[in-house]
Amino acid sequence: QLGDAGAGVVAPEGLRDYHAARAAAIDRFERVYVEALVKESGGVIAQACRLAGIDRNVVRRLFRKHGHSVPSGGGTGDP
């Protein structure tokens, strides 16, 4: 464990590089968050944006990054 500053974050054994540990923690968070966002929004970009309070382009990037398709058409998918 990383203590209070990293509550709930476990550093992989032997990992010494801060930047690598930070990137891994962000990736884990994004993966879990996107899974919940896809489930809650039904994969609808506009709904996901409202739920997350973030821009459509950010939601699209996160969906793609974590293996979810981005619907096209209707102004909610790719341009």
Side-chain angles (χ1 to χ4, degrees):
Q1 293 284 345
L2 297 177
D4 292 338
V9 177
V10 178
E13 209 167 301
L15 186 60
R16 303 273 185 229
D17 180 39
Y18 165 82
H19 297 289
R22 181 177 184 269
I26 289 170
D27 188 66
R28 282 190 302 273
F29 164 77
E30 285 180 350
R31 219 174 319 116
V32 170
Y33 189 84
V34 167
E35 288 298 323
L37 194 56
V38 167
K39 183 177 178 180
E40 187 68 25
S41 70
V44 177
I45 297 291
Q47 178 66 15
C49 293
R50 282 189 290 276
L51 290 168
I54 56 178
D55 184 73
R56 179 176 21 202
N57 291 325
V58 175
V59 171
R60 286 183 186 142
R61 180 185 59 78
L62 288 170
F63 273 34
R64 283 190 204 107
K65 179 179 178 181
H66 296 286
H68 295 280
S69 62
V70 177
S72 59
T76 60
D78 290 331

